[in-house]
Amino acid sequence: MKKYNGMTDEMLALQYVEGDNRAFDELLARNQQKLYNYILFVVRDPDMANDVFQDTFVKVIVKLQEGKYTNSGKFSFWLMRIAHNVIMDSFRQMKSERIVEPTEDNDLSNLSSEELMDINRENEYVNTQVLSDVRHIMQALPAAQREVVYMRFYQELSFKEIAEMTGVSINTSLGRMRYALINMRRMAKQHSMQLSLEL
C-alpha cells in the first residue's frame, strides 16, 4: 500500500469512487481506531459500538458509491458526521434507553457576557485538570452531553464544528456543554472530588 502513503483521505475516497477497492482499505485502516474510540465513548457499550461502527462504514460505502461525497478537504469530519447520525438513530430505536436532554428551547442568547466568560473558564479548567477523574465523571453524563464534551476536549472541535456535526445550533451545543459541566460539578461534589476553578 506504499502508493497510498502520500495520498490524503480525500484523495483515497475519490480513488475508491473510481473503482480502487484497496484505496478504501487504506482509508479504513487510517480512520478505524479514531472513529471506533469516538463511537465507544458515546455509546459506552462495545457490542453497540461495533454495530454502529459497521453501520457507519456501510453508509460511507453507499454514499461514496452514490457519488454523495465531494472533496471538501474534510473527510474525517464527514465520516464523524455519519457516525453521529448512526448513533442517534440507534438511540432512537432503543426505547428503554433513558437519555436526559435539555429542553428544546435551550437558547443561551439571554446569557450575559459574564456568564459566557464563566463557561469559558470552566471549559479551560476541565481541559487542564485531572483527566482520569473527569473522564470517570463524564461516563455518567447523558449521551448528548458526553458527546459534546468528547468532541470539544478530546477532538478539539470548535462549537461551530460540533453544531454542524451533530445537526444542532451553536446555542444548543453550548447549552449541552453547560449542562454537562453543571452535572459534572454536581457529581464531583457528591463524590468529594475537587473540581473547583482556581483563579
Side-chain angles (χ1 to χ4, degrees):
M1 296 246 206
K2 282 185 180 176
K3 77 172 191 173
Y4 301 120
N5 286 347
M7 297 177 76
T8 64
D9 286 356
E10 292 73 25
M11 292 164 70
L12 288 170
L14 296 175
Q15 280 286 118
Y16 172 68
V17 170
E18 291 173 13
D20 185 349
N21 288 332
R22 296 194 69 185
F24 185 81
D25 294 341
E26 175 67 18
L27 202 54
L28 176 61
R30 286 185 189 181
N31 289 281
Q32 64 185 1
Q33 195 60 53
K34 181 179 177 185
L35 181 67
Y36 180 80
N37 288 344
Y38 160 68
I39 293 168
L40 181 61
F41 190 84
V42 175
V43 303
R44 295 187 296 182
D45 176 345
D47 291 333
M48 185 178 177
N50 284 325
D51 290 344
V52 169
F53 179 83
Q54 290 171 11
D55 289 350
T56 297
F57 268 97
V58 166
K59 290 198 175 197
V60 166
I61 290 168
V62 169
K63 287 180 183 291
L64 285 171
Q65 290 176 346
E66 290 176 348
K68 292 184 177 174
Y69 174 74
T70 54
N71 185 357
S72 62
K74 292 184 177 181
F75 179 82
S76 61
F77 184 85
W78 182 73
L79 182 64
M80 298 291 278
R81 172 77 184 187
I82 292 172
H84 166 79
N85 290 339
V86 173
I87 290 169
M88 293 302 109
D89 289 344
S90 298
F91 281 146
R92 282 186 204 104
Q93 290 171 3
M94 294 171 58
K95 300 287 185 195
S96 61
E97 183 73 28
R98 282 180 261 150
I99 302 172
V100 179
E101 289 276 3
T103 58
E104 284 295 316
D105 58 348
N106 181 22
D107 184 7
L108 298 184
S109 60
N110 59 347
L111 286 179
S112 68
S113 59
E114 194 172 294
E115 287 172 306
L116 290 174
M117 288 299 291
D118 287 342
I119 291 171
N120 288 336
R121 284 191 204 112
E122 289 170 345
N123 291 351
E124 183 180 336
Y125 171 73
V126 172
N127 202 26
T128 56
Q129 290 304 305
V130 186
L131 287 179
S132 60
D133 288 344
V134 171
R135 193 172 186 127
H136 180 73
I137 291 173
M138 283 168 57
Q139 293 297 331
L141 292 172
Q145 293 173 23
R146 191 168 59 251
E147 180 181 43
V148 75
V149 171
Y150 184 84
M151 288 177 165
R152 181 74 179 121
F153 295 113
Y154 290 89
Q155 296 182 317
E156 300 179 352
L157 297 176
S158 69
F159 281 108
K160 182 180 179 190
E161 291 170 323
I162 293 169
E164 288 173 9
M165 282 183 69
T166 57
V168 299
S169 69
I170 291 176
N171 281 346
T172 298
S173 293
L174 284 166
R176 288 177 177 173
M177 177 62 78
R178 182 169 178 265
Y179 282 109
L181 293 171
I182 290 167
N183 286 333
M184 289 170 72
R185 190 180 295 122
R186 178 183 46 79
M187 287 184 276
K189 188 174 182 180
Q190 287 171 350
H191 294 91
S192 301
M193 295 170 63
Q194 284 297 326
L195 292 181
S196 58
L197 184 62
E198 303 255 341
L199 296 177

